[in-house]
Amino acid sequence: MSSVLERLERLPRRNLTVLAIKGLSTLVPGGWTNITRADALIGDVLGSSDPELIRQVRARADVLSQARHEGYGRALSLYDAVNRSQKAAGGLRLLANIGGALPLVKRVADLTPTSDSLQAADLSLKVAAEMLAFTQVNGLPGDSFGDFAAALGDYAGEARVRMAALICFDALLPLGDQALQRLDGLLGGLHKRDLHQLPAYAGMARLLPGRGDGAHLTFLRRGIEPWLGWAEGFSSQLGLTGQKAVQALEGTLGPWQGSFKQMATFLDAFTDTYQHTGVQAVARRLVERAAAEI
Amino acid sequence: MARALRWGVGLLLVVSLSIGAFVLLPFRSWLPGGTVADVPLSQVVNGAAFNRLFPEPQDGDQLVFTQEKRGFSEARLKHDGQVKALLAISDVTTAPEARSKFEASQSRLQGWPLVEQGAQATALLVADRFQVKVIGQGEGLDPEQRQDLLARFNLRGLAALQAPA
């Protein structure tokens, strides 16, 4: 298994994913830089470019990411699972979109329903994966629930572009501008059998707390509530809408003539935004720890 | 011939079963490499014990805990939403090489050896076991400011922490 920093260095410097995040980051103050060099990240955290210190931090980070108990690798495999399922679902929907135009394959289009509530369940799975990854990487910081909530808020603030991408690509574009307000109702209408239609669920089921689909569904509904409160504040503060997201994406990806839903499908099928920013977030936390331990 | 074939099939079955058992059964937690530097978790002080030893934030500053693991706890010192410094306490049991830099150190803080690492980091080794570190972020901190922060940790409480039996 490759270490976290190796994964960081293998991230693309310029492709569709990077362009999509770049485009979206124009909506978020502070912007986004695509950090793919471990040495640059270490130097940034340490405030020093001494090659000997950077070498020590790097060696320590590799030791830490190879220890299974520390959870850095587990967080990355969570992101990988979500990414694989997003691509599979996106590919199916894309096929259905193309298939819809050909009479013979029209059947396929009817076979791949992506109702709004399944889309909502997909988003709640991503948020749950985010929270599980947070606890894997950071533990449970602080002595009280207040400390933990502050740590979570701080993390979300650091990962603003990542969160904006989650809100726009997985909520506002496929579900419309009222997505966050509607989400509770959509999840309420979900049956536990429906979970098995989500490819990500099979991979994540054993990592979710509770036994059985019913308990998992309850966890997803409850787990998304605190995030939803935060996300509504965040998106109204930045004034995020599907329209604005598409405009921002057009700045880097070029003009788009399809619907918002098709844009969401296209992004699901061809980009890895969730995984890309996830690896960067984990790498930063890992380097902050390694720098403190050398 | 038939007898040799039977033996062959039997042997193949046994080998594939034992390989399958090793791959599929949850033996992984018994294999080495689960913990940092293969030091057993029971020998490392839990990060939760460090939290109350961090300095109390002063004049408008805010302390946000960011990571807590076995042998490690880290917090950010923020002012108006900007990160000023990373503060951390770690147990050097899993990183013995971190001790060596203190050997040549001449400066002392409350009797413990002090080392500057690059332009923005200051480290202190308490009781030959716990490393306390301040790393300036953003605009950065002077060495005096970093040492002042280090002195505001509860160093006496940290030195009194005992390793779990």
Side-chain angles (χ1 to χ4, degrees):
Chain A
M1 205 176 68
S2 48
S3 75
V4 176
L5 293 185
E6 281 166 21
R7 287 280 306 265
L8 180 78
E9 302 208 307
R10 281 213 304 269
L11 287 180
R13 287 176 177 78
R14 189 182 165 82
N15 72 350
L16 219 51
T17 307
V18 176
L19 288 177
I21 307 173
K22 266 242 162 71
L24 193 81
S25 70
T26 55
L27 296 177
V28 184
W32 179 73
T33 41
N34 184 26
I35 293 187
T36 58
R37 281 183 49 241
D39 291 355
L41 177 62
I42 295 170
D44 185 38
V45 169
L46 208 55
S48 157
S49 52
D50 181 352
E52 174 57 20
L53 281 178
I54 287 177
R55 191 195 58 75
Q56 284 177 18
V57 173
R58 207 189 164 113
R60 182 68 187 161
D62 285 345
V63 168
L64 288 173
S65 67
Q66 250 132 43
R68 286 190 307 275
H69 266 286
E70 295 304 311
Y72 298 104
R74 222 173 286 153
L76 289 191
S77 43
L78 267 171
Y79 292 146
D80 291 346
V82 169
N83 195 54
R84 266 198 304 277
S85 106
Q86 171 199 312
K87 287 218 141 160
L92 272 181
R93 265 184 285 156
L94 201 69
L95 212 67
N97 259 326
I98 301 166
L102 307 168
L104 259 182
V105 241
K106 216 163 185 174
R107 278 265 181 86
V108 181
D110 301 335
L111 282 176
T112 50
T114 44
S115 63
D116 281 0
S117 48
L118 271 187
Q119 189 70 50
D122 189 53
L123 174 62
S124 69
L125 263 180
K126 279 189 179 164
V127 173
E130 188 66 40
M131 276 192 283
L132 289 174
F134 174 84
T135 53
Q136 289 294 336
V137 171
N138 303 301
L140 300 172
D143 291 331
S144 64
F145 185 74
D147 281 348
F148 179 67
L152 203 60
D154 184 62
Y155 179 73
E158 175 181 298
R160 293 163 80 86
V161 172
R162 174 172 174 70
M163 289 297 144
L166 194 60
I167 293 171
C168 290
F169 299 166
D170 293 289
L172 300 180
L173 287 180
L175 294 171
D177 286 343
Q178 296 302 310
L180 298 175
Q181 288 80 2
R182 279 172 57 209
L183 208 59
D184 216 31
L186 287 174
L187 284 175
L190 201 69
H191 198 271
K192 59 184 180 186
R193 276 196 314 269
D194 299 336
L195 280 180
H196 288 280
Q197 295 194 33
L198 294 169
Y201 178 65
M204 274 179 61
R206 82 199 149 76
L207 291 165
L208 294 175
R211 298 191 108 181
D213 299 341
H216 291 165
L217 191 57
T218 315
F219 173 77
L220 291 182
R221 284 195 194 125
R222 290 258 174 80
I224 203 165
E225 266 168 31
W227 181 82
L228 215 51
W230 180 87
E232 275 176 39
F234 181 68
S235 69
S236 69
Q237 184 196 338
L238 297 184
L240 296 178
T241 59
Q243 184 71 46
K244 272 179 99 173
V246 169
Q247 274 168 6
L249 288 169
E250 280 181 328
T252 50
L253 294 178
W256 180 260
Q257 311 229 313
S259 69
F260 290 177
K261 255 192 180 148
Q262 285 168 336
M263 180 64 143
T265 304
F266 168 78
L267 290 169
D268 269 359
F270 294 116
T271 64
D272 316 290
T273 48
Y274 188 77
Q275 188 187 35
H276 188 100
T277 52
V279 172
Q280 288 172 333
V282 173
R284 181 159 204 109
R285 286 296 165 113
L286 174 66
V287 164
E288 283 183 359
R289 175 169 178 193
E293 286 195 344
I294 58 154
Chain B
M1 189 62 205
R3 187 174 165 166
L5 195 71
R6 273 208 296 277
W7 271 98
V9 169
L11 217 65
L12 199 74
L13 211 66
V14 168
V15 168
S16 56
L17 269 179
S18 37
I19 290 176
F22 193 75
V23 171
L24 293 178
L25 291 180
F27 279 144
R28 280 188 52 175
S29 53
W30 297 359
L31 296 175
T35 55
V36 183
D38 283 332
V39 176
L41 288 181
S42 57
Q43 291 178 17
V44 184
V45 177
N46 200 350
F50 299 145
N51 288 342
R52 61 193 166 80
L53 306 171
F54 277 74
E56 288 290 320
Q58 289 177 342
D59 31 85
D61 287 354
Q62 202 192 353
L63 192 70
V64 182
F65 285 96
T66 53
Q67 287 196 60
E68 180 187 314
K69 295 282 185 73
R70 269 272 159 186
F72 182 72
S73 182
E74 187 163 50
R76 285 181 184 182
L77 191 67
K78 294 176 113 180
H79 191 85
D80 287 340
Q82 292 291 316
V83 185
K84 273 167 71 180
L86 299 176
L87 313 180
I89 304 181
S90 59
D91 187 342
V92 295
T93 310
T94 62
E97 64 278 7
R99 271 201 193 100
S100 55
K101 63 178 177 289
F102 293 100
E103 280 163 10
S105 157
Q106 295 300 315
S107 43
R108 291 280 184 278
L109 184 83
Q110 296 185 17
W112 308 114
L114 187 82
V115 162
E116 296 285 335
Q117 284 185 304
Q120 282 301 330
T122 308
L124 186 72
L125 186 68
V126 175
D128 200 30
R129 166 136 204 190
F130 302 109
Q131 179 170 216
V132 187
K133 194 171 280 189
V134 174
I135 307 175
Q137 300 285 294
E139 290 169 13
L141 299 173
D142 305 333
E144 292 77 33
Q145 286 173 310
R146 295 201 296 270
Q147 290 182 21
D148 177 51
L149 271 169
L150 281 174
R152 279 167 47 206
F153 276 84
N154 182 354
L155 298 178
R156 196 167 299 162
L158 186 60
L161 272 187
Q162 288 301 315

